[in-house]
Amino acid sequence: MAPGGLLYGSDPLARLEACLADIGRNHADADLVVISGDLTNDGERAAYAALREALARFEPPCRLMLGNHDDRALFLEMFPGMPAECDFVQSVFDGGDGRLILLDTLDSGHVEGRLCAARLDWLDEKLHEARDRPVFLFMHHPPFRIHMPVLDKVRLADADAFHDILRRHGNVGHIFAGHVHRLIAGSWRGIPVSTLRSTNHQSALDFSDSWRLGHEPPACAVIFIDADGVVVHFHDFEAGRPEPVKGP
Protein backbone atom coordinates (compact mmCIF):
# COMPACT_ATOMS: atom_id res chain seq x y z
CA MET A 1 0.00 0.00 0.00
CA ALA A 2 1.01 3.65 -0.21
CA PRO A 3 2.69 4.86 3.02
CA GLY A 4 0.22 4.81 5.89
CA GLY A 5 -2.23 2.49 4.15
CA LEU A 6 -3.58 -0.52 6.04
CA LEU A 7 -4.59 -3.88 4.61
CA TYR A 8 -6.65 -6.24 6.79
CA GLY A 9 -5.63 -4.15 9.79
CA SER A 10 -1.87 -4.34 9.14
CA ASP A 11 0.58 -1.91 7.58
CA PRO A 12 2.09 -3.81 4.61
CA LEU A 13 4.95 -1.35 4.16
CA ALA A 14 5.97 -1.56 7.82
CA ARG A 15 5.86 -5.35 7.66
CA LEU A 16 7.92 -5.39 4.48
CA GLU A 17 10.51 -3.16 6.14
CA ALA A 18 10.55 -5.49 9.19
CA CYS A 19 11.15 -8.45 6.88
CA LEU A 20 13.96 -6.67 5.01
CA ALA A 21 15.54 -5.66 8.33
CA ASP A 22 15.43 -9.27 9.56
CA ILE A 23 17.11 -10.46 6.36
CA GLY A 24 19.71 -7.70 6.63
CA ARG A 25 20.56 -8.68 10.20
CA ASN A 26 20.63 -12.42 9.77
CA HIS A 27 21.04 -13.31 6.08
CA ALA A 28 23.02 -10.49 4.49
CA ASP A 29 25.27 -13.11 2.89
CA ALA A 30 22.40 -14.47 0.75
CA ASP A 31 23.29 -15.02 -2.89
CA LEU A 32 19.85 -13.75 -3.87
CA VAL A 33 16.64 -12.49 -2.26
CA VAL A 34 13.45 -13.17 -4.22
CA ILE A 35 10.25 -11.18 -3.57
CA SER A 36 7.66 -13.26 -5.38
CA GLY A 37 4.70 -10.83 -5.62
CA ASP A 38 2.25 -9.37 -5.00
CA LEU A 39 4.49 -6.30 -4.76
CA THR A 40 1.47 -4.01 -4.28
CA ASN A 41 -2.19 -4.52 -3.49
CA ASP A 42 -3.63 -2.13 -6.07
CA GLY A 43 -0.79 -1.52 -8.54
CA GLU A 44 -0.49 2.11 -7.41
CA ARG A 45 2.40 4.38 -8.35
CA ALA A 46 2.78 5.55 -4.74
CA ALA A 47 3.02 1.94 -3.54
CA TYR A 48 5.73 1.09 -6.09
CA ALA A 49 7.58 4.27 -5.11
CA ALA A 50 7.49 3.22 -1.44
CA LEU A 51 8.77 -0.25 -2.39
CA ARG A 52 11.58 1.29 -4.43
CA GLU A 53 12.59 3.51 -1.52
CA ALA A 54 12.60 0.59 0.93
CA LEU A 55 14.76 -1.51 -1.38
CA ALA A 56 17.22 1.34 -1.96
CA ARG A 57 18.47 0.73 1.59
CA PHE A 58 18.60 -3.06 1.16
CA GLU A 59 22.04 -4.51 0.46
CA PRO A 60 21.66 -8.19 -0.61
CA PRO A 61 21.01 -8.74 -4.34
CA CYS A 62 17.28 -8.86 -4.99
CA ARG A 63 14.90 -9.87 -7.77
CA LEU A 64 11.25 -8.82 -7.88
CA MET A 65 8.38 -10.83 -9.34
CA LEU A 66 4.79 -9.93 -10.21
CA GLY A 67 1.53 -11.22 -8.80
CA ASN A 68 -2.07 -10.70 -9.85
CA HIS A 69 -2.34 -7.44 -7.88
CA ASP A 70 0.52 -5.86 -9.81
CA ASP A 71 0.65 -3.60 -12.87
CA ARG A 72 3.34 -4.83 -15.26
CA ALA A 73 3.69 -1.66 -17.34
CA LEU A 74 3.93 0.60 -14.30
CA PHE A 75 6.38 -1.74 -12.59
CA LEU A 76 8.67 -1.79 -15.63
CA GLU A 77 8.52 2.00 -15.77
CA MET A 78 9.46 2.42 -12.10
CA PHE A 79 12.02 -0.41 -11.88
CA PRO A 80 13.90 -0.08 -15.19
CA GLY A 81 16.95 -1.90 -13.82
CA MET A 82 15.08 -5.06 -12.88
CA PRO A 83 15.81 -7.96 -15.27
CA ALA A 84 12.98 -8.56 -17.72
CA GLU A 85 12.90 -10.64 -20.89
CA CYS A 86 10.37 -10.77 -23.76
CA ASP A 87 8.47 -7.84 -22.16
CA PHE A 88 7.76 -9.94 -19.06
CA VAL A 89 9.26 -9.68 -15.59
CA GLN A 90 11.12 -12.96 -15.70
CA SER A 91 14.79 -13.78 -15.48
CA VAL A 92 17.48 -16.38 -14.83
CA PHE A 93 20.00 -16.53 -11.99
CA ASP A 94 22.81 -19.05 -12.37
CA GLY A 95 24.31 -20.14 -9.07
CA GLY A 96 27.04 -22.59 -8.25
CA ASP A 97 24.62 -25.48 -7.70
CA GLY A 98 21.98 -24.87 -10.32
CA ARG A 99 19.86 -22.38 -12.22
CA LEU A 100 17.00 -20.33 -10.79
CA ILE A 101 14.25 -19.36 -13.23
CA LEU A 102 11.85 -16.63 -12.13
CA LEU A 103 8.57 -16.66 -14.05
CA ASP A 104 6.03 -13.92 -14.69
CA THR A 105 2.61 -15.54 -14.22
CA LEU A 106 0.57 -12.31 -14.20
CA ASP A 107 -2.43 -12.36 -16.56
CA SER A 108 -3.49 -8.71 -16.43
CA GLY A 109 -7.09 -8.25 -15.37
CA HIS A 110 -7.42 -11.76 -13.94
CA VAL A 111 -6.80 -13.25 -10.49
CA GLU A 112 -5.65 -16.60 -11.86
CA GLY A 113 -2.20 -16.87 -13.42
CA ARG A 114 -1.22 -17.73 -16.96
CA LEU A 115 1.88 -18.52 -18.98
CA CYS A 116 1.17 -17.52 -22.57
CA ALA A 117 2.90 -19.14 -25.54
CA ALA A 118 5.72 -16.59 -25.48
CA ARG A 119 6.47 -17.26 -21.83
CA LEU A 120 6.25 -21.02 -22.26
CA ASP A 121 8.65 -20.83 -25.21
CA TRP A 122 11.05 -18.74 -23.10
CA LEU A 123 10.86 -21.29 -20.28
CA ASP A 124 11.48 -24.12 -22.74
CA GLU A 125 14.59 -22.33 -24.01
CA LYS A 126 15.98 -21.63 -20.53
CA LEU A 127 15.42 -25.22 -19.40
CA HIS A 128 17.19 -26.44 -22.53
CA GLU A 129 20.15 -24.14 -21.83
CA ALA A 130 20.50 -25.65 -18.35
CA ARG A 131 20.63 -29.20 -19.76
CA ASP A 132 21.85 -31.48 -16.95
CA ARG A 133 22.13 -28.72 -14.34
CA PRO A 134 19.31 -28.72 -11.76
CA VAL A 135 16.73 -25.95 -12.17
CA PHE A 136 14.60 -24.33 -9.46
CA LEU A 137 11.46 -22.41 -10.47
CA PHE A 138 10.01 -19.37 -8.70
CA MET A 139 6.49 -18.28 -9.65
CA HIS A 140 3.65 -16.35 -8.02
CA HIS A 141 0.77 -18.65 -8.98
CA PRO A 142 1.15 -22.32 -8.04
CA PRO A 143 0.27 -24.77 -10.82
CA PHE A 144 -0.98 -27.33 -8.29
CA ARG A 145 -4.11 -27.65 -6.15
CA ILE A 146 -3.81 -26.99 -2.42
CA HIS A 147 -7.33 -28.42 -1.82
CA MET A 148 -8.75 -25.05 -0.76
CA PRO A 149 -11.44 -24.51 -3.45
CA VAL A 150 -11.45 -20.70 -3.48
CA LEU A 151 -7.70 -20.55 -4.04
CA ASP A 152 -7.54 -23.53 -6.39
CA LYS A 153 -9.88 -21.68 -8.77
CA VAL A 154 -7.27 -18.94 -9.22
CA ARG A 155 -4.07 -20.97 -9.51
CA LEU A 156 -2.04 -21.15 -12.72
CA ALA A 157 -4.26 -21.84 -15.73
CA ASP A 158 -3.09 -24.37 -18.32
CA ALA A 159 -0.93 -26.20 -15.80
CA ASP A 160 -0.82 -29.20 -18.14
CA ALA A 161 0.98 -27.23 -20.87
CA PHE A 162 3.42 -25.96 -18.25
CA HIS A 163 4.04 -29.47 -16.95
CA ASP A 164 4.57 -30.85 -20.46
CA ILE A 165 7.60 -28.59 -20.80
CA LEU A 166 8.98 -29.52 -17.38
CA ARG A 167 8.53 -33.23 -18.09
CA ARG A 168 10.28 -32.96 -21.45
CA HIS A 169 13.44 -31.57 -19.84
CA GLY A 170 13.30 -33.42 -16.52
CA ASN A 171 15.69 -31.06 -14.73
CA VAL A 172 13.39 -29.10 -12.39
CA GLY A 173 14.24 -29.88 -8.77
CA HIS A 174 11.73 -27.66 -6.93
CA ILE A 175 8.90 -25.18 -7.54
CA PHE A 176 8.56 -22.23 -5.13
CA ALA A 177 5.23 -20.37 -5.30
CA GLY A 178 3.31 -17.64 -3.48
CA HIS A 179 -0.27 -16.40 -3.97
CA VAL A 180 -2.01 -18.67 -1.47
CA HIS A 181 -0.67 -17.09 1.76
CA ARG A 182 -0.09 -20.51 3.36
CA LEU A 183 2.94 -22.57 4.38
CA ILE A 184 2.68 -25.71 2.24
CA ALA A 185 5.19 -28.38 1.28
CA GLY A 186 4.66 -31.44 -0.89
CA SER A 187 5.06 -32.58 -4.48
CA TRP A 188 3.24 -32.08 -7.76
CA ARG A 189 3.53 -34.79 -10.39
CA GLY A 190 6.81 -35.87 -8.85
CA ILE A 191 8.32 -32.38 -8.44
CA PRO A 192 8.84 -31.03 -4.89
CA VAL A 193 6.87 -27.84 -4.21
CA SER A 194 6.45 -25.27 -1.46
CA THR A 195 4.47 -22.10 -0.84
CA LEU A 196 4.89 -19.34 1.69
CA ARG A 197 2.84 -17.15 3.98
CA SER A 198 2.53 -13.46 3.17
CA THR A 199 4.51 -10.68 4.78
CA ASN A 200 1.16 -9.07 5.62
CA HIS A 201 -1.99 -11.24 5.95
CA GLN A 202 -2.74 -14.94 5.64
CA SER A 203 -5.37 -17.35 4.36
CA ALA A 204 -7.02 -19.30 7.15
CA LEU A 205 -6.86 -23.09 6.97
CA ASP A 206 -10.37 -23.52 5.56
CA PHE A 207 -11.21 -26.29 3.10
CA SER A 208 -14.78 -25.07 2.52
CA ASP A 209 -15.98 -23.02 -0.44
CA SER A 210 -15.29 -19.74 1.37
CA TRP A 211 -12.17 -17.74 2.19
CA ARG A 212 -11.35 -16.52 5.69
CA LEU A 213 -8.60 -14.26 6.96
CA GLY A 214 -5.90 -16.11 8.87
CA HIS A 215 -4.03 -14.70 11.83
CA GLU A 216 -0.72 -16.54 11.66
CA PRO A 217 2.34 -14.27 11.78
CA PRO A 218 4.06 -13.04 8.62
CA ALA A 219 6.87 -15.18 7.28
CA CYS A 220 9.77 -15.43 4.89
CA ALA A 221 11.88 -18.43 3.93
CA VAL A 222 15.59 -19.18 3.94
CA ILE A 223 16.45 -21.59 1.14
CA PHE A 224 19.63 -23.63 0.90
CA ILE A 225 20.42 -25.22 -2.46
CA ASP A 226 23.49 -27.39 -2.89
CA ALA A 227 24.62 -30.61 -4.50
CA ASP A 228 22.73 -32.64 -1.88
CA GLY A 229 19.36 -31.00 -2.58
CA VAL A 230 17.06 -28.27 -1.25
CA VAL A 231 16.28 -27.29 2.34
CA VAL A 232 13.66 -24.63 3.09
CA HIS A 233 13.48 -22.98 6.52
CA PHE A 234 10.20 -21.13 7.11
CA HIS A 235 10.78 -18.17 9.41
CA ASP A 236 8.23 -16.02 11.28
CA PHE A 237 9.83 -12.60 11.52
CA GLU A 238 9.01 -10.04 14.21
CA ALA A 239 6.41 -7.49 13.15
CA GLY A 240 4.06 -5.13 14.94
CA ARG A 241 0.64 -6.35 15.99
CA PRO A 242 -2.11 -5.59 13.44
CA GLU A 243 -4.86 -3.11 14.16
CA PRO A 244 -8.27 -4.70 14.84
CA VAL A 245 -10.23 -5.27 11.64
CA LYS A 246 -13.44 -3.24 11.79
CA GLY A 247 -16.68 -4.53 10.42
CA PRO A 248 -18.81 -2.76 7.80
Side-chain angles (χ1 to χ4, degrees), residues 1-17:
M1 305 289 282
L6 298 182
L7 184 61
Y8 292 107
S10 299
D11 182 334
L13 181 57
R15 289 198 165 196
L16 169 68
E17 290 174 335

Side-chain angles (χ1 to χ4, degrees), residues 19 58-59 63 71 88 95 98 121 162 170 188 199 221 226 231 239 242:
C19 183
F58 187 61
E59 294 186 359
R63 297 275 179 97
D71 182 309
F88 295 103
D121 288 345
F162 171 67
W188 175 64
T199 55
D226 59 25
V231 172

Side-chain angles (χ1 to χ4, degrees), residues 117-167:
R119 282 174 280 185
L120 289 174
D121 288 345
W122 180 86
L123 172 62
D124 193 21
E125 176 187 342
K126 298 308 174 184
L127 290 173
H128 176 72
E129 288 176 359
R131 291 182 168 81
D132 294 331
R133 298 190 74 212
V135 174
F136 308 93
L137 300 182
F138 288 77
M139 54 201 303
H140 182 73
H141 294 84
F144 46 86
R145 290 188 304 143
I146 65 168
H147 301 276
M148 296 174 66
V150 173
L151 296 173
D152 286 342
K153 290 176 183 177
V154 293
R155 66 187 191 275
L156 183 76
D158 297 330
D160 289 341
F162 171 67
H163 181 258
D164 285 345
I165 293 174
L166 306 191
R167 181 178 55 192

Side-chain angles (χ1 to χ4, degrees), residues 20-247:
L20 296 178
D22 185 280
I23 294 170
R25 285 191 303 270
N26 301 302
H27 312 292
D29 61 341
D31 292 322
L32 184 68
V33 174
V34 177
I35 303 180
S36 60
D38 299 298
L39 303 176
T40 68
N41 191 63
D42 300 305
E44 296 175 302
R45 183 176 295 273
Y48 284 120
L51 173 63
R52 188 172 60 188
E53 182 178 349
L55 291 175
R57 305 185 295 272
F58 187 61
E59 294 186 359
C62 184
R63 297 275 179 97
L64 305 182
M65 299 172 59
L66 301 185
N68 48 286
H69 286 265
D70 286 304
D71 182 309
R72 185 182 292 112
L74 184 55
F75 171 83
L76 289 171
E77 174 192 332
M78 300 193 68
F79 290 85
M82 192 60 53
E85 298 194 26
C86 304
D87 298 321
F88 295 103
V89 184
Q90 50 194 26
S91 60
V92 168
F93 180 90
D94 284 312
D97 290 295
R99 162 170 281 196
L100 311 186
I101 298 180
L102 284 62
L103 292 168
D104 180 344
T105 60
L106 168 61
D107 186 17
S108 298
H110 299 87
V111 180
E112 66 272 17
R114 188 172 300 277
L115 291 171
C116 60
R119 282 174 280 185
L120 289 174
D121 288 345
W122 180 86
L123 172 62
D124 193 21
E125 176 187 342
K126 298 308 174 184
L127 290 173
H128 176 72
E129 288 176 359
R131 291 182 168 81
D132 294 331
R133 298 190 74 212
V135 174
F136 308 93
L137 300 182
F138 288 77
M139 54 201 303
H140 182 73
H141 294 84
F144 46 86
R145 290 188 304 143
I146 65 168
H147 301 276
M148 296 174 66
V150 173
L151 296 173
D152 286 342
K153 290 176 183 177
V154 293
R155 66 187 191 275
L156 183 76
D158 297 330
D160 289 341
F162 171 67
H163 181 258
D164 285 345
I165 293 174
L166 306 191
R167 181 178 55 192
R168 183 161 65 247
H169 293 279
N171 54 359
V172 173
H174 199 104
I175 297 174
F176 301 93
H179 192 49
V180 296
H181 298 223
R182 299 276 329 153
L183 293 183
I184 299 170
S187 65
W188 175 64
R189 302 180 183 181
I191 301 173
V193 300
S194 56
T195 67
L196 188 58
R197 287 208 301 265
S198 167
T199 55
N200 189 71
H201 61 281
Q202 318 310 335
S203 297
L205 188 64
D206 186 342
F207 297 107
S208 73
D209 290 327
S210 61
W211 182 88
R212 291 190 296 112
L213 179 68
H215 298 286
E216 297 98 332
C220 60
V222 180
I223 302 166
F224 290 89
I225 298 174
D226 59 25
D228 288 331
V230 177
V231 172
V232 182
H233 293 264
F234 298 114
H235 172 58
D236 299 348
F237 62 87
E238 292 291 330
R241 295 182 61 84
E243 297 292 330
V245 179
K246 298 180 180 179

